[in-house]
């Protein structure tokens, strides 16, 4: 119990600190925190380098298209560019950013199935030739504004057992995916491949098997009808280490390689993978500070602990308490259940209320709070001035 100095005790998170960060790097972050106002995010580029190398070693036949939306800071994008990564963009703004770093348009895909005609045109004029789609309307839009481009068709997947599901909103059923490919050819586009996303922070690798099986059936059907697809896009979904132990990236890769072999045999198409969370998640630590500790009545046992970061400052993935970040305070004391909330005047700005985090009984206002695994979907989500709070600052370790 008194060992809280080295153990993360938050709710049932009970792992050694070293599972998240080395002692040496943690010391560096603490030093830095002494002279910088919280909240801020610190990114460890070495971690991203390792994640990239690990994935490219374990899936050597796959091309990595980093999902820019997960962390679009210049340093992260430049590192990945230098490592030879390709990029998946969600908008022309991300596109222009990636192009401004000297990335060739041939290494960029436009993966959002929802796009304005003017944006398709802009991308096409900049040299983008690979677009995702999941509807006839969008396909026609692409054919008019990016004539002759390669298109791939996103299918619906189940997304259950993902902590951050993307279900329903994207993708199409198989019969429509088939029709899209036929229509694409009619419209003078190149029906190029199939894609899916099994849901972000996907704990069940078997979800890739279902999706790969579906894709292979469309490959076969289309081939019988004179359309030969060339590519399968496995999407994102690989997990990051939050409040539970996850399978290693190598274990996911071994399984996925096996599924590809099972369903495509020797005729393996070009394979694309679009990691976001698993590429940058474990590279980030948010340093925050306790602003207020209070009770709702005189005899309340439960403390409300308000941090200087909340849902609008970058922790939007606590919505429905979906993502449970490892939270650490370097203090000794009996772990006590608390309700954690953010600093804004919006009642939805509560981080964890049902899931009870435990913090040491000795916590005080102004104590530093370290939130691990915050490299993905934090800074890119933070609002620009809700309640006047500035967007989340980010520094490189
Ligand atoms: C968000 C997104 C990704 C990244 O997903 P992660 O689960 O963060 O790896 C990949 N591809 C597409 C099309 C996406 O929308």
């Amino acid at each position: 119990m008194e060992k809280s100095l080295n153990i993360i005790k938050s709710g049932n998170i009970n792992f050694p600190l070293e599972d998240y960060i080395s002692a040496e790097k943690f010391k560096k972050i603490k030093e830095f925190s002494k002279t910088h106002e919280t909240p801020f995010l610190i990114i460890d580029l070495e971690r991203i380098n390792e994640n990239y190398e690990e994935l490219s070693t374990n899936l050597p036949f796959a091309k990595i298209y980093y999902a820019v939306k997960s962390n679009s800071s210049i340093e992260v994008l430049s590192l990945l560019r230098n490592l030879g990564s390709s990029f998946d963009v969600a908008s022309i703004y991300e596109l222009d950013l990636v192009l401004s770093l000297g990335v060739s348009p041939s290494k960029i895909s436009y993966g959002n199935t929802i796009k304005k005609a003017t944006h398709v045109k802009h991308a096409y004029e900049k040299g983008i030739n690979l677009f995702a789609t999941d509807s006839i309307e969008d396909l026609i839009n692409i054919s008019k504004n990016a004539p002759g481009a390669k298109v791939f068709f996103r299918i619906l997947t189940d997304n259950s057992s993902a902590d951050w599901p993307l279900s329903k909103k994207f993708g199409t059923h198989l019969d429509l995916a088939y029709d899209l490919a036929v229509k694409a050819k009619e419209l003078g586009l190149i029906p190029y491949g199939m894609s899916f996303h099994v849901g972000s922070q996907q704990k069940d690798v078997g979800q890739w098997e279902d999706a790969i099986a579906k894709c292979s059936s469309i490959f076969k059907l289309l081939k019988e009808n004179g359309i030969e697809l060339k590519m399968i896009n496995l999407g994102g979904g690989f997990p990051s280490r939050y409040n539970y132990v996850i399978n290693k990236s190598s274990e996911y890769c071994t399984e996925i390689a096996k599924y590809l072999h099972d369903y495509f045999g020797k005729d393996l198409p070009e394979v694309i993978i679009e990691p976001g969370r698993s590429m940058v998640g474990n590279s980030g630590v948010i340093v925050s500070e306790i602003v207020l500790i209070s009770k709702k009545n005189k005899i309340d046992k439960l403390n409300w602990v308000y941090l200087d970061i909340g849902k609008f400052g970058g922790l939007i993935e606590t919505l429905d308490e979906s993502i449970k970040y490892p939270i650490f305070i370097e203090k000794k004391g009996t772990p006590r259940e608390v309700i954690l909330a953010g600093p804004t005047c919006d009642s939805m700005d509560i981080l964890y209320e049902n899931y009870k985090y435990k913090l040491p009984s000795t916590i005080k206002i102004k104590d530093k709070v370290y939130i691990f695994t915050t490299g993905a979907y934090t800074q890119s989500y933070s609002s620009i001035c809700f309640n006047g709070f500035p967007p989340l600052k980010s520094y490189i370790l």
Side-chain angles (χ1 to χ4, degrees):
M1 186 183 70
E2 290 302 308
K3 272 186 158 175
S4 58
L5 207 61
N6 300 315
I7 301 277
I8 297 191
K9 280 197 167 133
S10 307
N12 49 19
I13 302 168
N14 212 337
F15 300 110
L17 199 58
E18 289 73 38
D19 278 17
Y20 296 96
I21 194 165
S22 71
E24 180 203 343
K25 282 181 177 163
F26 189 46
K27 201 169 148 208
K28 243 173 126 177
I29 290 176
K30 284 191 292 184
E31 271 310 305
F32 185 85
S33 306
K34 284 181 188 159
T35 51
H36 290 79
E37 198 191 352
T38 61
F40 54 82
L41 168 68
I42 295 195
I43 292 290
D44 177 3
L45 292 177
E46 251 178 71
R47 268 284 172 93
I48 300 175
N49 201 332
E50 285 164 18
N51 293 337
Y52 186 89
E53 295 301 340
E54 195 180 6
L55 188 61
S56 42
T57 306
N58 292 323
L59 278 185
F61 49 82
K63 255 199 218 159
I64 298 173
Y65 280 68
Y66 169 64
V68 174
K69 71 176 191 278
S70 58
N71 185 321
S72 54
S73 75
I74 301 289
E75 293 86 353
V76 170
L77 296 175
S78 304
L79 169 71
L80 288 164
R81 174 203 59 200
N82 295 346
L83 290 169
S85 185
S86 296
F87 297 86
D88 182 61
V89 299
S91 69
I92 56 167
Y93 311 104
E94 283 186 354
L95 169 64
D96 289 346
L97 176 63
V98 174
L99 287 172
S100 76
L101 301 174
V103 174
S104 156
S106 65
K107 298 190 93 168
I108 302 173
S109 63
Y110 200 141
N112 196 340
T113 56
I114 304 159
K115 37 200 179 301
K116 293 180 180 174
T118 49
H119 290 194
V120 174
K121 189 158 187 283
H122 175 95
Y124 186 68
E125 284 169 359
K126 296 279 174 170
I128 305 307
N129 193 34
L130 186 59
F131 295 85
T133 191
D134 63 1
S135 68
I136 293 283
E137 294 72 13
D138 183 55
L139 191 67
I140 292 169
N141 179 14
I142 297 171
S143 74
K144 285 185 184 151
N145 295 291
K150 293 177 188 168
V151 283
F152 58 96
F153 313 102
R154 180 159 168 181
I155 55 165
L156 266 173
T157 53
D158 168 25
N159 273 223
S160 59
S161 55
D163 285 349
W164 193 258
L166 307 163
S167 58
K168 285 197 293 192
K169 182 167 171 185
F170 303 102
T172 152
H173 285 292
L174 292 190
D175 54 348
L176 182 54
Y178 177 90
D179 290 353
L180 286 173
V182 173
K183 181 85 177 168
K185 196 176 168 190
E186 280 171 29
L187 290 169
L189 295 164
I190 301 174
Y192 194 65
M194 301 292 298
S195 79
F196 56 83
H197 195 303
V198 292
S200 202
Q201 189 72 9
Q202 177 55 260
K203 290 169 289 197
D204 174 16
V205 72
Q207 298 296 321
W208 272 270
E209 176 170 23
D210 296 352
I212 289 169
K214 284 182 180 167
C215 288
S216 85
S217 71
I218 295 283
F219 265 73
K220 282 185 196 127
L221 255 169
L222 284 169
K223 196 172 177 185
E224 285 161 18
N225 290 281
I227 295 178
E228 201 155 343
L229 297 179
K230 297 273 185 339
M231 181 274 279
I232 181 167
N233 179 335
L234 308 173
F238 278 37
S240 247
R241 174 72 188 277
Y242 294 105
N243 65 333
Y244 52 86
V245 178
I246 53 167
N247 286 100
K248 287 202 210 96
S249 156
S250 59
E251 294 174 300
Y252 268 64
C253 292
T254 306
E255 290 301 300
I256 289 170
K258 187 174 147 308
Y259 304 146
L260 285 168
H261 184 263
D262 288 350
Y263 291 95
F264 286 95
K266 288 201 200 75
D267 296 332
L268 192 64
E270 181 188 327
V271 178
I272 281 179
I273 185 161
E274 300 173 330
R277 190 181 301 282
S278 63
M279 188 64 79
V280 294
N282 67 358
S283 74
V285 178
I286 284 177
V287 184
S288 169
E289 186 179 290
I290 298 178
V291 181
L292 178 69
I293 305 172
S294 70
K295 290 186 198 305
K296 297 290 163 192
N297 64 58
K298 283 190 275 186
I299 56 168
D300 227 354
K301 291 224 169 28
L302 208 55
N303 277 323
W304 281 69
V305 176
Y306 300 90
L307 306 181
D308 61 5
I309 188 168
K311 280 202 157 59
F312 303 96
L315 301 180
I316 193 71
E317 288 200 318
T318 58
L319 217 85
D320 295 330
E321 309 192 11
S322 303
I323 296 292
K324 297 183 187 75
Y325 294 104
I327 296 178
F328 181 64
I329 296 182
E330 198 172 32
K331 276 210 155 168
K332 295 185 181 186
T334 316
R336 291 253 169 85
E337 286 189 347
V338 298
I339 295 173
L340 276 170
T344 65
C345 299
D346 188 308
S347 58
M348 78 165 283
D349 193 9
I350 296 173
L351 301 174
Y352 303 104
E353 187 175 12
N354 298 313
Y355 181 88
K356 295 287 184 321
Y357 273 66
K358 288 179 186 160
L359 299 179
S361 54
T362 51
I363 51 168
K364 297 253 168 353
I365 287 171
K366 285 183 78 175
D367 277 350
K368 291 276 191 305
V369 177
Y370 303 92
I371 312 176
F372 295 107
T373 324
T374 41
Y377 304 116
T378 52
Q379 193 204 11
S380 58
Y381 260 133
S382 82
S383 80
I384 57 161
C385 81
F386 184 56
N387 279 210
F389 289 108
L392 185 60
K393 291 185 289 286
S394 172
Y395 302 103
I396 300 299
L397 183 66

